[in-house]
Amino acid sequence: MQYQADVTIELKTGMLDPEGTTIKRALEHLGYETDSVRTAKKYTIDLQAENIHGARETVEEMCQKLIANPIIHNYAISLRELQ
Amino acid sequence: MSIGIVQFGGSNCDLDVLHVLKDVLGVDAELVWYKEESLERFEGIVIPGGFSYGDYLRAGAIAARTPIMASVKKLAEEGKPVIGICNGFQVLTESGLLEGALTTNEYPKFRCEPTYLRVETTDTPFTSKFKKETLSAFL
C-alpha cells in the first residue's frame, strides 16, 4: 500500500535560529510584532509499506539515520494512506 | 606511504590538497572517488573542502553516510590520521568520527579577508613540520 509521510524537522528548543530571528526582524520592518519566529523544514516522502505501522517504523528509521541530526533536531512524522 | 584524498561529487579542494601533499610536502597521495570499496592501501586520509552533495539536507550529511566512510572509520580505528578540511570537517562531524554537531553561526555574514594564523601545537601529524608559534598571514 502507498503511504505519504510529512516529516517536520526543527531545531531543539534553545538553539540559535538566526534565520528565524532575521525573519522576525524583517516582519518588524513591515510593521508586524511577534514574540518569536522559528524555522523548520518539511520533507514529503511517498513510500510503499505493508501497513501504516510499517510505514511509520520505516520513516522513523529514515529520520534517525539521515533526515534529522538527533544531536540538534526534533522531528515529527505525520502519515496518511494514499488512494 | 600514501595519503588518500576522498572525492565526493561537489568536493572542489581535492586538487589543492593533492598539490600540497605531492608538490609541497613530497608525500605520495592519491585522489579516491567515493565509490571505491577500500582505503586499506593508505596511511592517512584527507576529506577535502567543497560542497559535497551541494550542502543538501545538512552540509556533509549525505557524504557522511556513503559506504566509503566505513573504510575511513576503520582507518581511524587503526590509529591512522584522518583530517577533514572545511566541508571535510562537516563530513567527519556528521559521520560521528568527530563529536557534536555543526550549525549556523549567529551572524551568517560571509567573510573573505586575509587573517593571521598561529601554530599552537606541532604535536600532530599535520603540523609537525611547522615551527611552533609561527605566525603566518593566510589570504
Side-chain angles (χ1 to χ4, degrees):
Chain A
M1 308 222 274
Q2 206 189 28
Y3 295 93
Q4 183 167 90
D6 281 337
V7 175
T8 305
I9 309 283
E10 55 175 24
L11 289 169
K12 287 183 172 171
T13 320
M15 278 193 64
L16 215 57
D17 184 352
E19 191 173 11
T21 312
T22 307
I23 295 169
K24 180 182 193 301
R25 253 187 261 123
L27 287 169
E28 281 159 23
H29 291 143
L30 291 171
Y32 299 104
E33 292 295 323
T34 62
D35 297 323
S36 143
V37 177
R38 308 268 300 165
T39 60
K41 282 194 177 164
K42 185 178 106 159
Y43 303 91
T44 302
I45 302 168
D46 294 353
L47 72 164
Q48 298 289 336
E50 291 272 314
N51 53 52
I52 199 156
H53 304 290
R56 176 166 288 273
E57 221 178 88
T58 302
V59 176
E60 279 277 351
E61 279 180 33
M62 291 175 177
C63 288
Q64 290 282 335
K65 288 190 182 168
L66 176 68
I67 304 176
N69 183 333
I71 300 175
I72 54 171
H73 289 141
N74 289 324
Y75 62 88
I77 301 167
S78 133
L79 267 172
R80 64 188 188 93
E81 192 183 323
L82 288 174
Q83 293 309 336
Chain B
M1 178 190 68
S2 186
I3 306 287
I5 305 163
V6 180
Q7 298 170 299
F8 297 99
S11 301
N12 65 17
C13 296
D14 43 349
L15 296 180
D16 191 43
V17 172
L18 186 69
H19 164 69
V20 170
L21 287 173
K22 289 187 87 162
D23 305 330
V24 178
L25 293 175
V27 167
D28 199 19
E30 216 182 292
L31 297 170
V32 184
W33 185 236
Y34 79 103
K35 288 227 162 118
E36 280 209 31
E37 304 233 319
S38 163
L39 297 169
E40 266 172 38
R41 64 193 184 282
F42 298 114
E43 284 305 305
I45 297 292
V46 180
I47 319 256
F51 295 89
S52 62
Y53 295 91
D55 279 0
Y56 285 171
L57 188 64
R58 297 179 300 280
I62 297 175
R65 289 157 177 86
T66 52
I68 201 172
M69 289 309 293
S71 299
V72 175
K73 287 180 186 176
K74 187 159 178 283
L75 238 100
E77 275 156 27
E78 288 166 8
K80 295 183 176 159
V82 176
I83 186 169
I85 304 168
C86 208
N87 183 227
F89 169 37
Q90 293 166 324
V91 172
L92 290 180
T93 308
E94 278 281 340
S95 78
L97 272 173
L98 294 174
E99 280 183 17
L102 297 168
T103 182
T104 315
N105 289 330
E106 184 166 7
Y107 300 107
K109 179 177 165 141
F110 179 73
R111 295 173 60 175
C112 182
E113 57 193 50
T115 191
Y116 285 103
L117 292 181
R118 181 175 56 214
V119 176
E120 289 292 341
T121 174
T122 53
D123 197 18
T124 83
F126 307 107
T127 55
S128 58
K129 297 249 180 193
F130 283 106
K131 257 200 309 243
K132 199 172 166 179
E133 306 287 324
T134 304
L135 202 62
S136 295
F138 275 78
L139 299 166

